[in-house]
Amino acid sequence: MPRTQQSCRERALFSMANVMHLIVLLLYCNGMNTETTPSPESEPVITTKKAESKGQSQVIIEELAILTPQYIELLCNLTDIPNNPLYITGYWTKDGQEIENSEETVNRNNEQYILKRTFSIEARDLGNYSCVFRENEAQVTFVLDVPVMKEKRDKPVVSYIGDSVVLECKLKYTPNTWNWYKANNTEKVLINVTANPLNYKILINGNKTKLTVLNLTEEDSGKYICSAEFDIKPSESYVELKVMSYTEPLKPFMAIVVEVIVLVTLILLWEKCNKPQHNSSAGGNDIYSEQTNKLTHDDSNGVENNMTRHRKLEH
């Protein structure tokens, strides 16, 4: 083969190799950009902080809303220790039980004693974590839990047969989604709006959800559970529904009316049972009075007749 043709072919192959390398490089770069797109991280938010005195020690409670599984560092800072010893002993507890191998010596640093520990938090790890200092029993408790729906009804929602009712749940944080369940004995059944469009409607608006129950019957009475679905664990609350007939509110009044009717009937029966005795005695008295009047009248007539005869004889 002539050298000129060979060199042309080599240059062509080299150019094609460069083009393929460039294409692969571009694809690789595009893939890296896609894979390294940062995703937003959900950090715990302290919702409540409360200090309580316990004798000479102090108990601090912090509530943290945990939305996703994560590592979290808990830190306790203790100050104002009498005599300021060089070191004190601290340890950690979960739900009141001391965590194994959590005890450590805390050295004094600028009049402060700092005890910290990192925990891996999954659904099973949620609970109350406390750091405790043995020397003065001071402690800080961290309440790690999913956001809690604190607005719960103590009394049931009351509605009537044939009507519609709206049940509502809301939360400070926006969950991934909302689900509604109806409690059936010890189980809960997911409410499927698609399968029951004539009975239920569900509205979701961020951190709020509403369940509308249509064409109520007595079977619709019961406990309805709203569930805010988070990555780590759902947060649940419930609403009690009581469906009544329109005559239900009248039952107490009707019971009173029945009692009054029964009482009046008993009084009338008692009077009726005692009335014949009263009439017989009264009748006897009437007969006696009538006979007495008759005798008196006859006697008076006799006297008058005798007096008349006596006068005639005198004349």
Side-chain angles (χ1 to χ4, degrees):
M1 178 182 294
R3 185 174 181 83
T4 304
Q5 294 181 358
Q6 183 178 2
S7 61
C8 291
R9 180 174 294 180
E10 289 177 353
R11 285 197 299 271
L13 291 174
F14 180 75
S15 299
M16 292 177 63
N18 287 338
V19 171
M20 292 297 294
H21 179 73
L22 181 60
I23 293 173
V24 171
L25 182 62
L26 289 174
L27 291 174
Y28 177 76
C29 292
N30 288 335
M32 289 294 293
N33 289 336
T34 302
E35 293 176 357
T36 57
T37 302
S39 59
E41 296 182 357
S42 178
E43 297 182 353
V45 180
I46 297 177
T47 57
T48 304
K49 184 175 181 179
K50 181 174 60 176
E52 300 176 358
S53 58
K54 183 180 179 182
Q56 295 180 350
S57 62
Q58 188 179 49
V59 177
I60 299 176
I61 300 176
E62 293 186 355
E63 296 182 3
L64 286 81
I66 307 297
L67 309 181
T68 61
Q70 60 189 276
Y71 286 94
I72 184 169
E73 182 183 73
L74 302 180
L75 184 147
C76 301
N77 187 356
L78 184 63
T79 58
D80 300 330
I81 300 297
N83 302 324
N84 290 324
L86 292 177
Y87 60 86
I88 59 176
T89 306
Y91 63 96
W92 291 88
T93 66
K94 181 180 184 295
D95 298 329
Q97 300 295 324
E98 184 174 346
I99 298 175
E100 188 177 359
N101 300 324
S102 66
E103 181 176 300
E104 61 180 279
T105 299
V106 183
N107 295 320
R108 184 181 66 194
N109 183 10
N110 295 329
E111 311 300 329
Q112 299 181 14
Y113 304 87
I114 299 176
L115 178 64
K116 61 182 178 179
R117 188 180 179 93
T118 301
F119 297 93
S120 175
I121 304 299
E122 301 285 342
R124 64 179 180 274
D125 302 312
L126 296 173
N128 300 338
Y129 290 80
S130 300
C131 59
V132 185
F133 297 93
R134 294 192 186 278
E135 280 71 14
N136 64 346
E137 296 184 354
Q139 72 179 51
V140 176
T141 298
F142 300 89
V143 181
L144 277 60
D145 200 359
V146 290
V148 179
M149 286 176 270
K150 297 184 178 181
E151 296 183 3
K152 298 181 180 179
R153 294 179 60 95
D154 296 330
K155 297 181 179 180
V157 176
V158 179
S159 191
Y160 298 95
I161 295 175
D163 286 350
S164 299
V165 67
V166 178
L167 309 178
E168 182 178 3
C169 288
K170 60 182 178 180
L171 197 59
K172 183 178 180 181
Y173 302 90
T174 301
N176 297 333
T177 187
W178 288 90
N179 286 322
W180 282 90
Y181 300 87
K182 188 175 188 301
N184 185 9
N185 296 327
T186 58
E187 299 179 350
K188 59 181 185 179
V189 180
L190 178 66
I191 295 177
N192 191 339
V193 178
T194 305
N196 301 281
L198 299 179
N199 298 102
Y200 302 107
K201 288 183 179 180
I202 294 178
L203 176 63
I204 297 176
N205 184 14
N207 63 335
K208 297 180 182 179
T209 180
K210 293 181 180 180
L211 170 67
T212 303
V213 187
L214 307 169
N215 304 317
L216 290 171
T217 64
E218 291 185 356
E219 287 73 19
D220 291 319
S221 296
K223 182 184 294 185
Y224 290 81
I225 301 171
C226 57
S227 177
E229 307 294 337
F230 291 99
D231 290 336
I232 188 168
K233 180 185 175 182
S235 175
E236 295 183 348
S237 183
Y238 69 88
V239 182
E240 190 78 21
L241 175 62
K242 185 177 181 180
V243 181
M244 303 187 304
S245 64
Y246 283 101
T247 59
E248 191 74 19
L250 299 177
K251 286 185 178 180
F253 174 75
M254 294 173 64
I256 295 174
V257 171
V258 170
E259 290 180 359
V260 172
I261 292 174
V262 171
L263 181 61
V264 171
T265 302
L266 292 175
I267 293 173
L268 293 176
L269 289 174
W270 182 83
E271 290 183 350
K272 184 177 181 180
C273 291
N274 289 277
K275 187 173 182 180
Q277 298 178 0
H278 179 72
N279 289 340
S280 61
S281 61
N285 292 334
D286 292 342
I287 294 171
Y288 176 77
S289 300
E290 184 178 355
Q291 291 177 351
T292 304
N293 292 333
K294 185 176 182 181
L295 291 174
T296 304
H297 181 69
D298 292 341
D299 292 342
S300 62
N301 288 339
V303 173
E304 289 180 357
N305 291 333
N306 291 333
M307 292 181 64
T308 304
R309 291 174 183 173
H310 181 67
R311 287 177 183 174
K312 286 183 179 179
L313 290 173
E314 290 181 351
H315 286 289

